[in-house]
């Protein structure tokens, strides 16, 4: 859960951060894509470039397994060589060497995965040695280095404003120096064997620990340090960094180790986000790199000196700390006293070190710190991982409990003295999603024209207009890379996933033209003879226009006489711009009878409503709400032409343990009920009168809908069936020989005796074990078979669930997911508070445009091919994506692999063709074409990627992975692939610079923050209060999301509402508790939820205008809607909420959250830059961890 991970808060809610509130960017204009608004953070903040620096906190979440267990995610990886789908396993990746090693060292050998690292290091030096070593080294903070292009140099040594604990005096350190890199070397590469434990999981392998270099740990780890440091005892650090050994005031001393978190090396790299080609780190966005000059050359230490650092043998205490052992990373752990957010018991006491603030620039290492004593049982002898660069451990975050149940709490109590804290990396010096989003909006002033091959579109958060000039609009197709590597080797080296997220029936804004419908008559669409690609702008006409050469397979095909047209002097057809298929990226063809099932034109589709009338359904009010709503909703069935009546027919069934069919034929005075009690052999008891036209049978239908709630008002039947309900709808569609959609309203686990009967198998004890994957798999195969039959008939199922306890969403969702349908879930449904959300979802679901009996095929030009697909569909072969239903909200993510070389001249082409039956019963083909560039230089690949689309792919890949592997293995694989992507860039595209510097490609500088959000999601890292049903539901939901939806889901939009002007949205702020001010009101949107957070000291006038009360205490904590008040602020706030809801496919229920209220724990779950209650790392810690992973890959 990403619940609240907060970064150590500088000012918890309190005073606004310096600079906060100023909106540095132009206001967003409300338009629809901009889901996230810009951020207001400190102004100075992250100049795009300042490099962060400071130690960071531990790695993300879970506990690393003991070393011995290698776990390389093999299954996910087929031989690592072939590019796999999904992140590549990195098995062979070099094991990461100890973190600390500066990356120059040669010690590590990349090639093999070595399980243990020991070999690299010699015996650990004793404390004394270390101290001696250190004496002599002096750190001088150098001038900040010039920042990369475009970014201002960070200010140097003064501490960042927000620093949290700046106060502590810099005591001398008496302790032994921590390992240099502080993070214990922690894990090897993810993929590799031991490695995997890497971050999550048990204690790190012992061997790792030694830090190899002798350098003092410093946060500068960044490579940045070099000189020998002065003896520890005296080093002085800038005040801000807390150096003393005592914990900063506010926190309890943390035992270092326990904090697993630290896994990230603290070293924060000064980040540089360089533009790709980059020769230099452009963004050095961090503190000045020390490396650059600040310290004397590092030569002084022998690079590979093994172990020089760690104090003599003490194992770190909880050693794992670095890893994320189960215990939460320190920061995250809340002090015991706080109740956990979502978790149950108090966390074990953990040491809490304060995060010290790191001043930006500071990279100085503190003096040698001493390590905590080791904890028994831990493997260990490595230095504790502290959070800082040098490892100090960081304290838990207030308020969060420890790891989730089941995870070993390594190191929890370790009493040892806390090592001095290091300066914390300033969150404003690391890449800000809000800054990137706002910069993109500012750049986008003209409409986006699609005619230029390989041009990346504006971000999904930007509101822009599209002009189709030959490639599909980004609303239909978004790619992970608009420059594809020419060869498979290059793709494998970079590990950048090559994928496209396709939303074939996406709704366009009113100012854009929907795809034109082209009718070629009896002959049907013109196609290539060999590969069957449809006519498109990439076909080259030759021989005066009599033949055309296919752009996909190069085959030459005759032009039919009726389609012939002369060419102009440039070789283009004279009618090129009169024909959509020759000049546009997206268009539709009217399909002929040859494209229809059984060679006959389809019947109009039907909608069947199947309503659970068991005791729970009636008592909750669901039955009467559905029946009442359907009376008006049936006038809004989908239609192509708003002027005409819909041709969709409707039918009604109610059920509990038996099924009741209704005859609503227009000639009847009253509806008739027919009961089928033999559910083991389902059949439809009537043909005539079941599926009817709404207008003809309106009176009978209304009479039925009035009678259903009364008929079952006194029911005592609590058991339900589910399989036979879908069979009944399927049989009715078969009998009518048409496609259609079933709307099933269901409340409980189907335990009545019938096909598809289920049992309660929820078992939280399986979480975190190898059997966890069974919770995501269907418990019986019955529904897989049923789904296949539904797809063959074009029967799509939408399921509305109203559970009060476990209903096994993983199994009940099989049919909806396989048929292209949707699952909606209203847990503990209460008519009063949930009716609005349910009815809005139902209305949209019934009215939206949908295609039936659809087949999608993606063709590509020679050199690449579509190899894997993610979404809600069924596949009976390797190429055809079959969808019983395809609506305007469903997206399919397609992965491509090389099967040959591509050429830079021709680029790579893809054509997505979807054959479907429209809601008016017409058979059509919708075509979307996309051409991207190809490159032979890695720098060009990294210059033209889209991070939001990469995250969409990685999330879907990971969420499918949990069906076959433990969540921890999946997380490790994701981290490993992402580290490889960034390490490849660093190695091949960035100009040489010190290993301590983190250099990121400009277009991927947000990869770490977004990836961390995926890793902390409830599916991959659930908190104690997340049910198995919730996880299965989210897993299914995200599998068919488009890029805009996954973006706001993983990185919610947080808007400050203190100044509301009409016309423009306030600039968003970053998702962290540090950004909240007690005097502010904030709106947080996740795509599924809306929260209105109200600070405890908001001005009375604002409260009056929003809530109609001047007192904070009088605001109802359970408010789900705002009062309608006649003042500009109330009106504007309600307009913003309505506009957010209009942009999303599901209705977002509003929840008002008062500061310090119980509901705040739920709200904090979505502040994704902070540590989470379930053990997820904060952004700062994760960034350090990624830097360490990258350095290990490079060494």
């Amino acid at each position: 859960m990403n619940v609240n991970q907060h970064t150590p808060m500088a000012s918890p809610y309190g005073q606004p951060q310096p600079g906060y509130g100023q909106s540095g960017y132009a206001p967003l204009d409300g338009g629809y894509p901009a889901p996230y608004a810009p951020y207001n953070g400190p102004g100075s903040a992250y100049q795009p470039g300042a490099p962060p620096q400071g130690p960071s906190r531990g790695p993300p979440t879970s506990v690393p397994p003991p070393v011995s267990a290698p776990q390389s995610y093999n299954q996910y990886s087929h031989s690592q060589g072939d590019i796999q789908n999904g992140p590549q396993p990195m098995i062979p990746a070099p094991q990461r060497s100890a973190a600390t090693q500066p990356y120059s060292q040669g010690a590590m050998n990349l090639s093999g995965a070595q399980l243990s690292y020991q070999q690299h290091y010699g015996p650990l030096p004793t404390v004394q040695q270390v101290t001696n070593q250190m004496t002599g080294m002096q750190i001088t903070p150098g001038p900040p280095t010039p920042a990369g292009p475009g970014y201002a140099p960070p200010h140097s040594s003064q501490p960042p404003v927000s620093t949290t604990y700046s106060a502590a005096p810099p005591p001398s350190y008496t302790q032994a120096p921590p390992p240099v890199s502080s993070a214990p070397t922690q894990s090897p590469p993810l993929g590799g064997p031991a490695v995997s434990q890497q971050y999550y999981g048990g204690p790190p392998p012992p061997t790792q620990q030694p830090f190899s270099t002798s350098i003092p740990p410093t946060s500068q780890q960044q490579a940045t340090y070099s000189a020998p440091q002065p003896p520890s005892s005296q080093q002085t650090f800038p005040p801000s960094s807390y150096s003393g050994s005592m914990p900063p005031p506010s926190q309890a001393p943390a035992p270092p180790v326990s904090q697993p978190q630290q896994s990230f090396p603290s070293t924060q790299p000064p980040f540089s986000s360089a533009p790709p080609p980059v020769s230099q780190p452009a963004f050095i966005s961090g503190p000045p790199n020390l490396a650059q000059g600040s310290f004397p050359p590092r030569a002084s230490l022998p690079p590979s000196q093994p172990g020089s650092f760690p104090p003599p043998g003490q194992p770190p205490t909880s050693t794992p700390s670095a890893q994320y052992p189960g215990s939460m990373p320190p920061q995250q752990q809340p002090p015991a006293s706080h109740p956990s957010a979502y978790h149950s018991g108090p966390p074990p006491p953990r040491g809490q070190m304060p995060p010290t603030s790191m001043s930006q620039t500071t990279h100085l290492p503190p003096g040698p710190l001493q390590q905590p004593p080791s904890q028994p049982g831990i493997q260990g002898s490595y230095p504790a991982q502290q959070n800082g660069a040098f490892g100090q451990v960081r304290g838990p975050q207030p308020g969060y409990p420890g790891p989730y149940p089941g995870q070993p709490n390594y190191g929890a109590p370790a009493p040892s003295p806390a090592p001095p804290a290091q300066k914390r990396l300033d969150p404003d010096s690391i890449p800000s999603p809000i800054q990137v989003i706002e910069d993109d909006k500012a750049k986008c002033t003209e409409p986006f024209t699609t005619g230029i091959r390989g041009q990346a579109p504006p971000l999904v958060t930007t509101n822009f207009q599209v002009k189709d000039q030959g490639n599909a609009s980004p609303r239909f197709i978004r790619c992970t890379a608009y420059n594809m590597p020419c060869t498979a080797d290059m793709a494998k080296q970079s590990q950048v996933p090559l994928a496209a997220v396709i939303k074939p029936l996406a709704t366009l804004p009113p100012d854009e033209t929907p795809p034109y419908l082209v009718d070629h008559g009896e002959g049907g669409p013109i196609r290539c003879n060999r590969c069957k690609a449809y006519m498109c702008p990439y076909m080259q006409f030759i021989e005066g226009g009599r033949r055309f050469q296919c752009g996909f397979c190069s085959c030459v095909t005759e032009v039919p006489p009726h389609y012939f047209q002369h060419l102009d002097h440039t070789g283009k057809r004279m009618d090129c711009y009169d024909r959509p298929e020759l000049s546009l990226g997206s268009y539709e063809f009217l399909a002929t009878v040859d494209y229809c099932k059984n060679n006959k034109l389809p019947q109009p589709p039907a909608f069947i409503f199947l309503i659970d009338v068991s005791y729970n359904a009636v008592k909750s009010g669901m039955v009467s709400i559905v029946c009442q709503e359907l009376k008006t909703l049936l006038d809004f069935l989908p239609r192509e032409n708003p002027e005409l009546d819909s041709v969709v027919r409707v039918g009604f069934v109610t059920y509990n343990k038996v099924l009741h069919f209704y005859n609503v034929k227009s000639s009847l005075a009253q509806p008739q009920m027919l009961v089928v009690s033999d559910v083991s052999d389902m059949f439809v008891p009537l043909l005539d009168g079941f599926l009817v036209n709404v207008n003809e049978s309106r009176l009978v239908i209304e009479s039925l809908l009035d009678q259903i709630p009364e008929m079952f008002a006194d029911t005592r039947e609590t058991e339900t069936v589910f399989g036979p309900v879908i069979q009944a709808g399927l049989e009715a569609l078969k009998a009518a020989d048409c496609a259609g959609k079933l709307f099933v309203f269901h409340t409980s686990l189907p335990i009545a005796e019938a096909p598809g009967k289920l049992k309660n198998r929820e078992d939280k004890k399986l979480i975190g074990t190898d059997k966890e994957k069974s919770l995501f798999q269907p418990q019986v195969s019955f529904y897989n078979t049923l789904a296949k039959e539904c797809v063959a008939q074009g029967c799509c199922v939408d399921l509305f669930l109203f559970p009060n306890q476990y209903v096994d969403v993983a199994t009940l969702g099989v049919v909806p997911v396989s048929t292209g349908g949707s699952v909606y879930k209203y847990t503990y449904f209460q008519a009063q508070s949930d009716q609005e959300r349910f009815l809005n979802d139902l209305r949209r679901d019934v009215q939206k445009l949908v295609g039936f009996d659809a087949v999608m095929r993606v063709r590509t030009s020679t050199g690449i091919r579509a190899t894997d697909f993610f979404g809600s569909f069924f596949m009976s072969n390797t190429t055809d994506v079959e969808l019983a239903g395809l609506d305007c909200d469903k997206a399919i993510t397609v992965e491509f692999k090389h099967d040959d070389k591509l050429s830079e001249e021709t680029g790579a082409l893809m054509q997505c063709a979807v054959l479907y039956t429209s809601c008016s019963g017409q058979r059509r083909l919708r075509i979307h074409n996309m051409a991207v560039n190809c490159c032979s230089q890695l720098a060009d690949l990294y210059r033209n990627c889209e991070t939001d689309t990469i995250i969409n792919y990685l999330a879907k890949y990971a969420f499918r992975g949990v069906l076959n592997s433990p969540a921890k293995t999946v997380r490790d694989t994701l981290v490993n692939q992402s580290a490889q992507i960034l390490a490849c860039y660093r190695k091949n595209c960035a100009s040489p610079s010190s290993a301590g510097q983190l250099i990121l490609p400009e277009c991927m500088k947000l990869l770490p923050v977004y990836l961390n959000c995926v890793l902390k999601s409830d599916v991959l890292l659930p908190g104690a209060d997340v049910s198995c049903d919730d996880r299965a539901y989210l897993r299914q939901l995200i599998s068919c999301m488009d890029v805009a939806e996954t973006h706001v889901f993983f990185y919610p939009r947080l808007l400050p509402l203190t100044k509301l002007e009409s016309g423009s949205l306030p600039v968003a702020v970053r998702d962290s508790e540090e950004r909240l001010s007690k005097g502010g009101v904030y709106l947080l949107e996740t795509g599924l939820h809306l929260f209105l957070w109200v600070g405890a000291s908001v001005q009375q006038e604002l409260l009056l205008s929003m809530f109609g009360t001047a007192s904070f205490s009088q605001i109802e904590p359970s408010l789900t809607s705002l009062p309608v008040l006649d003042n500009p602020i109330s009106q504007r706030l309600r307009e913003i909420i309505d506009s957010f809801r209009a942009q999303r496919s599901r209705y977002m229920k509003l929840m008002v959250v008062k500061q310090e209220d119980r509901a705040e724990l739920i709200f904090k779950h979505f502040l994704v830059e902070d540590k989470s209650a379930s053990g997820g790392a904060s952004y700062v810690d994760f960034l350090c961890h990624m830097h360490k992973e990258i350095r290990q890959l490079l060494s």
Side-chain angles (χ1 to χ4, degrees):
M1 286 184 138
N2 356 314
V3 172
N4 11 278
Q5 334 166 181
H6 7 18
T7 36
M9 313 175 271
S11 39
Y13 297 93
Q15 325 63 313
Q17 304 273 350
Y20 163 125
Q22 9 186 124
S23 37
Y25 315 83
L28 261 185
D29 42 42
Y32 95 99
Y36 316 83
Y39 125 70
N40 279 334
S44 59
Y46 136 75
Q47 310 287 33
Q53 58 202 209
S56 78
R57 295 88 109 211
T61 138
S62 24
V63 190
V67 111
S68 55
Q71 297 164 236
S72 33
Y73 202 175
N74 266 106
Q75 53 236 71
Y76 257 72
S77 47
H78 323 100
S79 63
Q80 129 145 35
D82 34 347
I83 316 207
Q84 241 90 267
N85 304 336
Q88 205 146 287
M90 314 268 351
I91 313 208
Q95 301 280 205
R96 313 163 158 332
S97 47
T100 42
Q101 318 209 195
Y103 84 92
S104 48
Q105 320 206 185
M108 204 39 193
N109 100 20
L110 284 187
S111 55
Q114 33 244 63
L115 277 181
S116 53
Y117 301 69
Q118 330 174 249
Q119 43 244 75
H120 294 210
Y121 311 111
L124 304 180
T126 57
V127 180
Q128 181 59 47
Q129 293 169 305
V130 180
T131 321
N132 302 343
Q133 232 177 3
M134 302 203 83
T135 10
M137 305 181 144
Q138 211 157 271
I139 296 205
T140 54
T145 57
Y151 303 94
H155 9 323
S156 122
S157 29
Q158 64 275 49
V161 200
S162 62
T163 74
T164 332
Y165 305 94
S166 47
S172 49
Y173 288 84
T174 53
Q175 333 192 186
V180 106
S181 72
S182 142
T185 108
Q186 194 180 300
S187 45
L190 286 192
V195 161
S196 49
Q197 73 240 14
Q198 217 13 147
Y199 324 8
Y200 311 114
T207 49
Q208 331 200 172
Q209 44 250 13
F211 286 86
S212 56
T213 32
S214 22
I215 314 150
T218 113
S219 61
Q220 58 215 50
Q221 203 168 312
Q222 312 212 210
T224 207
Y225 18 121
S226 45
Q229 308 219 194
S232 63
S233 62
Q234 46 227 51
Q235 307 211 196
T236 58
F237 300 84
S240 71
S241 69
Y242 162 57
S243 49
S245 37
M246 5 61 107
S250 60
Q251 319 233 159
V257 77
S258 58
Q259 331 302 189
Q261 348 225 128
Q262 330 208 139
S263 283
F264 307 80
S266 48
T267 79
Q268 305 301 143
F271 216 66
S272 52
S273 136
V278 132
S279 33
Q280 59 146 95
F283 121 96
I284 288 201
S285 141
N289 291 344
L290 298 146
Q292 308 228 185
S294 339
F295 300 172
R298 166 167 198 212
S300 48
L301 328 156
S304 66
Q305 239 176 271
S308 7
F309 244 111
Q314 3 203 165
T317 128
S318 61
T319 273
S321 60
Q323 329 262 209
Y324 295 25
S327 54
M328 314 212 34
Q331 254 315 223
Q332 8 213 107
Q333 336 220 153
S337 58
H338 298 294
S340 87
Y342 289 119
H343 295 87
S344 24
R350 264 181 163 149
Q352 324 221 183
M353 239 355 282
T356 68
S357 67
M358 81 172 302
S359 72
Q360 288 214 229
T361 119
T362 161
H363 277 150
L364 319 190
L369 312 168
Q370 126 162 25
Q371 298 208 209
S374 70
Q375 239 190 251
I378 282 211
Q379 335 190 174
S381 30
Y382 17 137
Q385 201 37 96
Q386 333 209 75
N387 242 337
F390 4 114
Q392 278 87 224
V393 160
R394 216 84 345 93
Q397 296 239 244
Y400 294 114
Y404 48 95
Q407 306 237 166
N409 224 355
Y410 295 107
S416 50
Q422 216 180 257
K423 297 190 169 158
R424 164 178 163 234
L425 183 55
D426 176 12
D428 290 330
S429 64
I430 57 183
S432 157
I434 306 301
Q435 180 77 50
V436 171
I437 288 166
E438 286 304 303
D439 290 349
D440 190 73
K441 287 178 183 166
K443 269 192 329 210
C444 184
T445 51
E446 302 283 306
F448 175 71
T449 54
T450 68
I452 304 165
R453 186 178 81 190
Q455 183 185 20
L459 299 179
V460 287
T461 44
T462 298
N463 201 357
F464 59 99
Q465 188 186 4
V466 179
K467 296 213 166 144
D468 185 341
Q469 294 186 353
N471 281 310
S473 160
R475 306 197 203 287
F476 295 123
I477 303 185
R478 275 188 180 265
C479 299
T480 54
Y482 288 87
N483 253 342
M484 285 228 177
C486 283
T487 65
D489 288 343
M490 188 173 157
K492 185 174 167 184
Q493 184 183 1
S494 73
Q495 287 292 306
V496 173
L498 303 178
V501 179
I502 305 175
K503 196 174 179 183
L505 302 186
T507 309
L508 299 181
D511 58 355
E512 293 177 22
T513 316
Y516 290 100
L517 181 59
V518 178
D519 183 358
H520 279 313
E522 306 264 316
I526 313 297
R527 307 177 66 176
C528 166
N529 273 343
R530 183 197 289 158
C531 70
K532 303 298 182 200
Y534 294 88
M535 180 53 66
C536 66
Y538 317 138
M539 303 299 190
Q540 183 68 43
F541 287 85
I542 53 176
E543 297 180 20
R546 287 189 296 277
R547 306 170 85 189
F548 68 87
Q549 183 169 25
C550 176
F552 296 89
C553 69
S554 304
C555 174
V556 174
T557 301
E558 294 284 334
V559 173
H562 70 87
Y563 196 69
F564 174 78
Q565 178 57 268
H566 294 287
L567 307 185
D568 65 12
H569 64 285
T570 64
K572 273 192 175 164
R573 282 174 54 123
M574 307 285 274
D575 61 354
C576 174
Y577 295 103
D578 301 330
R579 291 189 175 273
E581 73 274 21
L582 299 181
S583 55
L584 300 179
S586 302
Y587 43 87
E588 293 196 312
F589 289 121
L590 199 54
T592 57
V593 75
D594 305 334
Y595 291 86
C596 303
K597 218 184 261 176
N598 307 323
N599 285 345
K600 62 180 191 190
L601 293 171
Q603 299 284 332
F607 282 4
I608 302 177
F609 298 89
L610 304 111
I611 306 165
D612 176 349
V613 288
S614 63
Y615 177 76
N616 282 339
V618 175
K619 190 169 124 257
S620 69
M622 182 272 280
V623 175
S624 58
I625 290 171
V626 171
C627 292
Q628 190 57 37
E629 179 63 25
L630 286 177
K631 287 195 275 186
T632 49
L633 194 50
L634 295 177
D635 287 330
F636 297 96
L637 295 174
R639 63 204 74 200
E640 307 263 341
N641 182 346
E643 309 296 313
L644 303 176
D645 288 337
S646 175
V647 294
V648 175
R649 290 171 295 163
V650 297
F652 303 89
V653 175
T654 56
Y655 67 93
N656 40 46
K657 275 204 309 198
V658 298
L659 275 76
H660 322 106
F661 291 79
Y662 297 91
N663 183 344
V664 284
K665 197 170 176 179
S666 57
S667 56
L668 297 174
Q670 283 294 318
Q672 294 174 346
M673 177 200 278
L674 292 94
V675 180
V676 176
S677 52
D678 180 8
V679 290
S680 60
D681 184 19
M682 186 43 63
F683 67 99
V684 179
L686 74 166
L687 290 178
D688 190 28
F690 179 65
L691 291 179
V692 297
N693 178 289
V694 176
N695 286 334
E696 292 170 10
S697 300
R698 181 176 303 277
L699 294 174
V700 193
I701 291 172
E702 291 194 355
S703 169
L704 169 67
L705 294 172
D706 285 334
Q707 290 176 39
I708 288 174
E710 295 165 15
M711 271 191 291
F712 298 100
D714 302 321
T715 182
R716 285 282 165 269
E717 184 55 73
T718 55
E719 294 188 359
T720 57
V721 295
F722 186 71
V725 178
I726 293 174
Q727 286 176 323
L730 173 61
E731 292 302 321
L733 293 177
K734 281 183 181 172
D737 192 25
C738 68
K741 187 182 265 200
L742 310 185
F743 295 83
V744 183
F745 302 90
H746 188 79
T747 58
S748 56
L749 192 69
I751 54 172
E753 213 40 67
K757 172 184 172 179
L758 301 178
K759 58 180 192 288
N760 187 336
R761 56 166 183 165
E762 183 171 36
D763 185 357
K764 288 268 182 98
K765 292 196 287 294
L766 299 181
I767 294 177
T769 69
D770 283 349
K771 291 187 179 164
E772 180 177 14
K773 61 191 178 197
S774 65
L775 299 173
F776 293 106
Q777 296 165 349
Q779 58 171 292
V780 292
S781 62
F782 171 83
Y783 292 100
N784 298 75
T785 312
L786 181 56
K788 190 173 177 179
E789 293 174 28
C790 288
V791 172
Q793 181 57 40
C795 169
C796 175
V797 179
D798 279 353
L799 175 60
F800 291 81
L801 284 171
F802 303 86
N804 289 330
Q805 55 197 6
Y806 180 73
V807 289
D808 200 351
V809 175
T811 305
L812 298 188
V814 168
V815 178
V817 168
S818 306
T819 57
S822 307
V823 178
Y824 295 85
K825 183 162 158 286
Y826 309 90
T827 311
Y828 305 120
F829 178 79
Q830 288 176 325
Q832 193 185 349
S833 59
D834 298 304
Q835 177 173 349
E836 185 185 19
R837 177 164 77 103
F838 163 55
L839 291 181
N840 277 282
D841 283 342
L842 177 60
R843 286 169 195 149
R844 183 183 159 95
D845 197 56
V846 169
Q847 298 174 38
K848 66 188 173 188
L849 285 178
V850 57
F852 295 96
D853 225 347
V855 181
M856 179 179 107
R857 183 174 282 193
V858 179
R859 293 179 173 84
T860 51
S861 54
T862 309
I864 53 167
R865 61 195 166 88
T867 55
D868 206 354
F869 301 85
F870 302 84
S872 294
F873 51 75
F874 179 78
M875 292 187 79
S876 52
N877 57 36
T878 56
T879 54
D880 296 331
V881 175
E882 299 175 47
L883 302 121
L886 172 62
D887 63 53
C888 56
D889 299 324
K890 296 287 183 300
I892 290 129
T893 297
V894 183
E895 185 182 14
F896 301 98
K897 292 272 162 56
H898 285 77
D899 54 9
D900 202 348
K901 288 199 170 113
L902 293 168
S903 85
E904 294 189 65
E905 296 73 58
T906 56
L909 311 178
M910 60 190 86
Q911 182 180 78
C912 166
V914 182
L915 174 65
Y916 70 100
T917 301
S918 71
C919 50
S920 58
Q922 211 174 43
R923 201 70 175 149
R924 296 183 180 173
L925 279 155
R926 178 165 289 203
I927 311 296
H928 295 299
N929 301 293
M930 177 63 89
V932 297
N933 285 334
C934 293
C935 59
S936 53
Q937 297 299 315
L938 283 165
D940 293 327
L941 164 65
Y942 285 100
R943 195 182 280 113
N944 225 357
C945 290
E946 190 178 49
T947 301
D948 293 321
T949 311
I950 291 174
I951 290 293
N952 177 283
Y953 165 82
L954 291 175
K956 291 180 182 182
Y957 172 77
F959 287 9
R960 183 173 68 185
V962 296
L963 290 172
N964 307 304
S965 311
K968 183 189 160 326
T969 311
V970 176
R971 288 195 307 263
D972 291 351
T973 302
L974 282 187
V975 174
N976 200 31
Q977 178 168 6
S978 303
Q980 286 209 337
I981 291 171
L982 299 175
C984 174
Y985 172 78
R986 172 65 187 262
K987 182 176 173 187
N988 300 288
C989 312
S991 53
S993 58
S994 94
Q997 224 173 311
L998 173 57
I999 300 184
L1000 302 175
E1002 181 61 32
C1003 66
M1004 283 192 202
K1005 64 187 179 192
L1006 299 180
L1007 185 65
V1009 61
Y1010 292 161
L1011 177 70
N1012 189 36
C1013 298
V1014 175
L1015 296 172
K1016 295 193 297 194
S1017 64
D1018 292 345
V1019 177
L1020 296 181
L1021 191 70
D1025 64 326
V1026 179
S1027 69
C1028 297
D1029 275 348
D1030 287 330
R1031 296 177 72 197
Y1033 168 70
L1034 287 174
R1035 195 190 76 76
Q1036 294 168 357
L1037 182 60
I1038 285 151
S1039 70
C1040 56
M1041 280 186 176
D1042 69 3
V1043 181
E1045 290 169 319
T1046 51
H1047 181 277
V1048 75
F1049 177 82
F1050 289 116
Y1051 194 89
R1053 167 157 63 162
L1054 181 60
L1055 290 191
L1057 303 176
T1058 27
K1059 298 195 183 90
L1060 287 177
E1061 287 103 27
S1062 58
S1064 61
L1065 283 176
V1067 172
V1069 295
R1070 290 167 66 173
D1071 294 340
S1072 169
E1073 197 170 347
E1074 293 187 351
R1075 312 284 170 180
L1076 302 177
S1077 147
K1078 265 190 179 154
V1081 178
Y1082 298 81
L1083 183 66
L1084 182 130
E1085 178 209 11
T1086 71
L1088 300 179
H1089 312 276
L1090 276 175
F1091 295 95
L1092 188 67
W1093 183 88
V1094 186
S1097 47
V1098 176
Q1099 293 180 342
Q1100 292 188 353
E1101 301 86 79
L1102 194 58
L1103 292 180
L1104 262 175
S1105 41
M1106 287 183 179
F1107 303 100
T1109 171
S1111 153
F1112 176 77
S1113 59
Q1114 287 173 358
I1115 297 172
E1116 286 283 325
S1118 55
L1119 265 185
T1120 56
S1121 62
L1122 294 175
V1124 177
L1125 304 174
D1126 189 15
N1127 66 67
I1129 289 181
S1130 173
Q1131 288 166 0
R1132 180 64 183 136
L1133 176 54
R1134 284 178 286 114
E1135 278 170 19
I1136 289 174
I1137 289 172
D1138 290 343
S1139 72
F1140 280 16
R1141 284 173 171 159
Q1143 290 169 29
R1144 306 291 168 212
S1145 59
R1146 303 205 169 206
Y1147 186 84
M1148 297 181 288
K1149 178 177 165 182
L1150 178 70
M1151 183 170 170
V1152 174
V1153 177
K1154 295 165 68 176
Q1155 184 176 351
E1156 310 293 333
D1157 194 52
R1158 262 180 56 199
E1160 203 183 29
L1161 290 175
I1162 302 172
F1163 169 77
K1164 286 180 180 175
H1165 174 60
F1166 299 103
L1167 297 179
V1168 294
E1169 289 198 24
D1170 296 337
K1171 290 199 161 84
S1172 72
S1174 55
S1178 67
Y1179 174 22
V1180 172
D1181 289 350
F1182 184 72
L1183 189 65
C1184 297
H1185 176 74
M1186 283 300 291
H1187 185 215
K1188 192 176 97 203
E1189 297 284 309
I1190 292 165
R1191 291 178 62 184
Q1192 287 177 340
L1193 286 171
L1194 293 173
S1195 55

